[in-house]
Amino acid sequence: MSASANTKSICNHADGFSFVDNDGYKYISVKGLCTAIPDTGVGREASDIFFSTIYPNNGGMAILSDTISELNVRILYGIDCKVLESIREQYPDIPIRCNVTDIIMDIRQSDKDAIAAVPNGENADIIAVQDGRLMLLKQVPADTYRLLYNITKIWKEFGFNTGKARIRLYGLQENTGLVSGLVQMTGEDTLCVL
């Protein structure tokens, strides 16, 4: 799935997709375990330790990172070592990015603050961007109740309001309970189902 309307996706046989932007830039987007840290010059070894502390059962994944310099944030994410090896063999010149990076950049470029929910296996990644800053990147169980609870809690705690903010649901259009619950809690004009 691509967060940007200006990309064309091509499914590959790994755990992700290859995208081609309108300007011809190609990249492979993967999803999985991820977290955000400030981009303060923390080295590779410290980043790996940080990721392994948050996800102690990561199965020895290769840990990659994306830098979003406009937000002074790095997204750390894990990818299965065999999948990474396969991607590197088949597409040695195409960079790899975390799907969350695309979503954060897409939200940041809009004129609205946003909370986004993106399915990620049994869980969902919840992202909050307010006033051009990444406020939260959190993974929660993807059941309707927990998603509804977490999204509305974040909405309230960060002071999002209907006139200035949106809730974006990526790939969750089938979850009618979540959609109707969010409409009841925050209003129909706040919800964007992609």
Side-chain angles (χ1 to χ4, degrees):
M1 118 181 48
S2 171
S4 174
N6 296 326
T7 59
K8 174 182 160 189
S9 70
I10 306 161
C11 182
N12 75 22
H13 298 291
D15 184 18
F17 291 86
S18 174
F19 294 97
V20 180
D21 284 331
N22 285 340
D23 64 1
Y25 179 77
K26 298 177 183 180
Y27 63 94
I28 296 171
S29 182
V30 297
K31 67 179 182 177
L33 302 176
C34 64
T35 191
I37 62 171
D39 188 29
T40 57
V42 173
R44 172 95 179 147
E45 185 177 329
S47 295
D48 290 356
I49 291 169
F50 185 79
F51 186 87
S52 295
T53 301
I54 293 174
Y55 299 109
N57 299 322
N58 69 36
M61 294 179 149
I63 301 165
L64 305 176
S65 69
D66 297 335
T67 300
I68 306 174
S69 55
E70 301 88 351
L71 300 176
N72 197 32
V73 168
R74 257 193 312 162
I75 306 298
L76 302 177
Y77 58 101
I79 182 170
D80 182 274
C81 292
K82 290 180 183 179
V83 171
L84 179 60
E85 184 180 321
S86 174
I87 290 171
R88 295 285 189 223
E89 285 175 7
Q90 294 179 42
Y91 309 101
D93 299 329
I94 299 178
I96 299 171
R97 288 196 322 216
C98 182
N99 71 317
V100 167
T101 302
D102 293 327
I103 294 166
I104 292 169
M105 292 305 297
D106 189 48
I107 293 169
R108 188 182 175 284
Q109 292 171 0
S110 76
D111 61 343
K112 303 280 185 188
D113 295 337
I115 299 170
V118 186
N120 190 349
E122 298 284 321
N123 297 311
D125 294 316
I126 298 180
I127 303 158
V129 176
Q130 187 176 47
D131 298 326
R133 297 180 314 176
L134 178 64
M135 303 299 286
L136 177 106
L137 171 57
K138 176 181 183 177
Q139 198 171 78
V140 300
D143 65 82
T144 301
Y145 172 77
R146 288 187 185 163
L147 278 173
L148 182 60
Y149 172 80
N150 279 281
I151 292 169
T152 54
K153 181 179 179 194
I154 293 163
W155 181 270
K156 182 179 178 184
E157 285 184 1
F158 285 114
F160 284 101
N161 65 57
T162 304
K164 191 179 175 210
R166 296 283 181 266
I167 298 171
R168 297 176 175 206
L169 303 178
Y170 292 83
L172 293 165
Q173 64 273 17
E174 304 288 322
N175 192 333
T176 56
L178 177 62
V179 171
S180 64
L182 288 171
V183 167
Q184 283 182 336
M185 301 292 249
T186 63
E188 191 171 315
D189 293 338
T190 64
L191 197 59
C192 179
V193 182
L194 305 167

